[in-house]
Amino acid sequence: MEQKISNNKTIFTKEFTKQEPIPEQGIQRALELLQSGRLHRYNTAPGETSDVSLLEKEFAEYIGSRYCAAFSSCGSSIYVALKCCSIQPGDKVLTNAFTLAPVPGAIQNAGAVPVFVECISDYTIDLVDLEQKAVSSDANYFLISYMRGHIPDMDAISKICEKHNLCLIEDCAHTMGGGWNKQNTGTFGKVGCFSTQTYKHINSGEGGLLVTNDDDIIAQAILYSGSYMLYDTHLSRPSLEVFEQYKKMIPNYSLRMTNLQAALLRPQLKDLDAQVARWNKRYQILENKLNKIDLVEVPKRSAKEHFVGSSIQFTLTGLTRGQIKSFLEECDDRGVRIKWFGWQEPRGYTSSFESWQYISLIPDLPQTKNVLDYMCDMRIPLTFTIQDCETIAMIICEVLEDIKK
Ligand SMILES: *Cc1c(COP(=O)(O)O)cnc(C)c1O
């Protein structure tokens, strides 16, 4: 049962955190690996290619990049991406103020300093503020985060990077399967980083995939990931000579992916485009229904943005903070779990830039704060049917009508 009635009110009973099962083929391969015990990517039988190597090759092909290296998480791959682009302690990195905690975490891990850029009402990065801060901070790095899958005008981003000589690194944790103007995210900058954590678009519990076209970057990334000098077994790599200048200079950070993870991911990658279509169908239903509600605005997206609707964000207009809290509580009572970045204290996955106090200088970002104070964020797991999405929109509508009274 997806719903029940209590006090004449519909209560939604499915879990917002429940993902679909791993495809049968992935489960079978995982069982084989468990039987053989060959879980480590460099523990292969003679003549065998590891599941991780195969995944790297297939993912690079899917994205349209020359190379891919697998990691233990997206956050660790971002950290390594910064290192491969020669970041030095104290260097400044422009990044979105509206992002997830592992992004400033990766910058801090690299000894660098985030410079937060404001967010605009469609939840993408503010290009005017980006350009101003590129000049005022003198940063040489820009780590763009496509937070919740929102992709800004990448033609404009590319121009700004060129004009201000910014090394672009992309956090694509929420855009796997998405792109801008027929070009996949992860291929606009020097390096792109993807997540295979349970809540993203392919699920291995934890995991990260780093892509690049650059021989030197991939050689360093493979060494940092912890290759134990077995980099020759990678299918996705440049010629062995490229490793020579780095192999004694790059430390082993032990951030590898296991064969078990890769075995679960390979069949999911094959299904990804079909899954994206299913997400977007659900997104469209929710977008249409929510936009019909008086106090709700789902920002328009550019026709060039090929997003993946694995979550939806909307802005509540004309409500006070108090009313928004009542709205969230009432939705929660009716089984509709909505996240809000307006809470004073960080909770769950939602922490705002003001909570990252390990950064010595958190700037005033009134515009981002204002956007986040009125923005609601909801997951759309594929375990929800079209009918479920209609029920959720109806509940949100009813709750808002009650609050207006
Ligand atoms: C999940 C996420 C990450 C980090 O991914 P992990 O694999 O959990 O390290 C980075 N950025 C964004 C926007 C995310 O949503």
Tab-separated table of all heavy atoms in Angstrom, residues 73-76 78 99-100 102-103 145 147-148 171 173-174 195-197 200 206-207, ligand 1:
chain	number	residue	atom	x	y	z
A	73	SER	N	35.122	7.174	-3.366
A	73	SER	CA	33.976	8.081	-3.262
A	73	SER	C	34.178	9.229	-4.237
A	73	SER	O	35.286	9.426	-4.753
A	73	SER	CB	33.846	8.650	-1.843
A	73	SER	OG	34.914	9.543	-1.583
A	74	CYS	N	33.114	9.971	-4.475
A	74	CYS	CA	33.228	11.160	-5.324
A	74	CYS	C	34.066	12.223	-4.607
A	74	CYS	O	34.924	12.860	-5.205
A	74	CYS	CB	31.833	11.699	-5.638
A	74	CYS	SG	31.808	13.247	-6.548
A	75	GLY	N	33.814	12.371	-3.281
A	75	GLY	CA	34.570	13.360	-2.518
A	75	GLY	C	36.070	13.119	-2.609
A	75	GLY	O	36.851	14.064	-2.785
A	76	SER	N	36.489	11.854	-2.529
A	76	SER	CA	37.929	11.573	-2.609
A	76	SER	C	38.442	11.817	-4.032
A	76	SER	O	39.582	12.239	-4.218
A	76	SER	CB	38.240	10.157	-2.130
A	76	SER	OG	37.615	9.197	-2.946
A	78	ILE	N	37.349	14.152	-6.031
A	78	ILE	CA	37.474	15.615	-6.194
A	78	ILE	C	38.787	16.088	-5.562
A	78	ILE	O	39.521	16.904	-6.134
A	78	ILE	CB	36.276	16.361	-5.552
A	78	ILE	CG1	34.956	16.000	-6.245
A	78	ILE	CG2	36.502	17.872	-5.612
A	78	ILE	CD1	33.718	16.574	-5.562
A	99	THR	N	25.941	23.856	-2.145
A	99	THR	CA	26.477	22.556	-2.536
A	99	THR	C	26.385	21.613	-1.342
A	99	THR	O	25.850	21.990	-0.289
A	99	THR	CB	27.913	22.664	-3.081
A	99	THR	OG1	28.319	21.388	-3.590
A	99	THR	CG2	28.895	23.117	-2.006
A	100	LEU	N	26.927	20.413	-1.510
A	100	LEU	CA	26.899	19.433	-0.423
A	100	LEU	C	28.239	19.462	0.323
A	100	LEU	O	29.281	19.729	-0.274
A	100	LEU	CB	26.630	18.039	-1.002
A	100	LEU	CG	25.874	17.088	-0.068
A	100	LEU	CD1	24.423	17.518	0.091
A	100	LEU	CD2	25.893	15.664	-0.609
A	102	PRO	N	30.625	17.448	1.174
A	102	PRO	CA	31.892	16.867	0.687
A	102	PRO	C	32.655	17.767	-0.282
A	102	PRO	O	33.850	17.537	-0.497
A	102	PRO	CB	31.462	15.578	-0.040
A	102	PRO	CG	30.028	15.391	0.200
A	102	PRO	CD	29.461	16.588	0.866
A	103	VAL	N	31.991	18.775	-0.852
A	103	VAL	CA	32.677	19.642	-1.823
A	103	VAL	C	33.652	20.593	-1.123
A	103	VAL	O	34.856	20.557	-1.403
A	103	VAL	CB	31.650	20.356	-2.733
A	103	VAL	CG1	32.330	21.358	-3.650
A	103	VAL	CG2	30.863	19.317	-3.536
A	145	SER	N	29.934	22.860	-8.894
A	145	SER	CA	29.117	21.783	-8.344
A	145	SER	C	27.720	21.887	-8.950
A	145	SER	O	27.036	22.885	-8.754
A	145	SER	CB	29.056	21.914	-6.817
A	145	SER	OG	28.266	20.880	-6.283
A	147	MET	N	24.908	21.142	-8.171
A	147	MET	CA	24.137	20.735	-6.997
A	147	MET	C	22.707	20.399	-7.380
A	147	MET	O	22.070	21.152	-8.103
A	147	MET	CB	24.197	21.861	-5.965
A	147	MET	CG	23.433	21.607	-4.697
A	147	MET	SD	24.053	20.175	-3.771
A	147	MET	CE	23.153	20.403	-2.227
A	148	ARG	N	22.234	19.260	-6.892
A	148	ARG	CA	20.897	18.740	-7.170
A	148	ARG	C	20.611	18.703	-8.679
A	148	ARG	O	19.463	18.799	-9.105
A	148	ARG	CB	19.811	19.567	-6.456
A	148	ARG	CG	19.790	19.382	-4.973
A	148	ARG	CD	19.401	17.963	-4.592
A	148	ARG	NE	19.283	17.786	-3.161
A	148	ARG	CZ	20.247	17.319	-2.375
A	148	ARG	NH1	21.414	16.976	-2.881
A	148	ARG	NH2	20.047	17.179	-1.089
A	171	ASP	N	32.074	18.869	-10.355
A	171	ASP	CA	31.451	17.925	-9.425
A	171	ASP	C	30.110	17.509	-10.032
A	171	ASP	O	29.143	18.262	-9.997
A	171	ASP	CB	31.252	18.593	-8.059
A	171	ASP	CG	30.234	17.852	-7.189
A	171	ASP	OD1	30.081	16.627	-7.372
A	171	ASP	OD2	29.597	18.508	-6.336
A	173	ALA	N	28.200	14.855	-9.239
A	173	ALA	CA	27.550	13.832	-8.403
A	173	ALA	C	26.069	13.666	-8.745
A	173	ALA	O	25.517	12.586	-8.602
A	173	ALA	CB	27.723	14.170	-6.929
A	174	HIS	N	25.427	14.745	-9.181
A	174	HIS	CA	23.992	14.674	-9.484
A	174	HIS	C	23.666	14.859	-10.955
A	174	HIS	O	22.519	15.147	-11.300
A	174	HIS	CB	23.230	15.700	-8.638
A	174	HIS	CG	22.764	15.121	-7.341
A	174	HIS	ND1	22.785	15.793	-6.158
A	174	HIS	CD2	22.271	13.894	-7.054
A	174	HIS	CE1	22.335	15.021	-5.197
A	174	HIS	NE2	22.019	13.860	-5.714
A	195	SER	N	29.692	10.385	-8.612
A	195	SER	CA	29.486	9.578	-7.403
A	195	SER	C	28.646	8.348	-7.724
A	195	SER	O	27.731	8.405	-8.540
A	195	SER	CB	28.768	10.416	-6.343
A	195	SER	OG	28.509	9.632	-5.197
A	196	THR	N	28.953	7.233	-7.064
A	196	THR	CA	28.114	6.041	-7.189
A	196	THR	C	27.563	5.657	-5.808
A	196	THR	O	27.248	4.503	-5.552
A	196	THR	CB	28.888	4.860	-7.811
A	196	THR	OG1	29.932	4.458	-6.910
A	196	THR	CG2	29.504	5.231	-9.140
A	197	GLN	N	27.488	6.659	-4.943
A	197	GLN	CA	26.915	6.488	-3.625
A	197	GLN	C	25.410	6.187	-3.778
A	197	GLN	O	24.803	6.521	-4.797
A	197	GLN	CB	27.196	7.814	-2.884
A	197	GLN	CG	26.896	7.863	-1.446
A	197	GLN	CD	25.897	8.952	-1.206
A	197	GLN	OE1	24.730	8.764	-1.471
A	197	GLN	NE2	26.373	10.114	-0.737
A	200	LYS	N	22.764	8.423	-5.548
A	200	LYS	CA	23.026	9.037	-6.856
A	200	LYS	C	22.422	8.178	-7.967
A	200	LYS	O	21.529	7.398	-7.694
A	200	LYS	CB	24.532	9.256	-7.008
A	200	LYS	CG	25.180	9.934	-5.786
A	200	LYS	CD	24.543	11.296	-5.450
A	200	LYS	CE	24.846	11.735	-4.011
A	200	LYS	NZ	26.030	12.487	-3.826
A	206	GLU	N	29.048	3.087	-1.989
A	206	GLU	CA	30.024	4.179	-2.075
A	206	GLU	C	30.767	4.032	-3.391
A	206	GLU	O	30.819	2.939	-3.953
A	206	GLU	CB	31.059	4.093	-0.941
A	206	GLU	CG	30.510	4.158	0.468
A	206	GLU	CD	30.117	5.562	0.901
A	206	GLU	OE1	30.275	6.521	0.103
A	206	GLU	OE2	29.633	5.683	2.033
A	207	GLY	N	31.384	5.102	-3.845
A	207	GLY	CA	32.218	5.013	-5.039
A	207	GLY	C	32.308	6.335	-5.781
A	207	GLY	O	31.411	7.178	-5.676
B	1	LIG	C1	26.914	13.170	-3.032
B	1	LIG	C2	27.583	14.397	-3.503
B	1	LIG	C3	28.967	14.520	-3.483
B	1	LIG	C4	29.896	13.512	-2.872
B	1	LIG	O1	29.700	12.225	-3.228
B	1	LIG	P1	30.300	11.027	-2.293
B	1	LIG	O2	30.415	9.910	-3.254
B	1	LIG	O3	29.298	10.806	-1.212
B	1	LIG	O4	31.615	11.488	-1.787
B	1	LIG	C5	29.512	15.674	-3.980
B	1	LIG	N1	28.743	16.651	-4.480
B	1	LIG	C6	27.408	16.588	-4.508
B	1	LIG	C7	26.610	17.725	-5.073
B	1	LIG	C8	26.766	15.459	-4.020
B	1	LIG	O5	25.430	15.397	-4.033
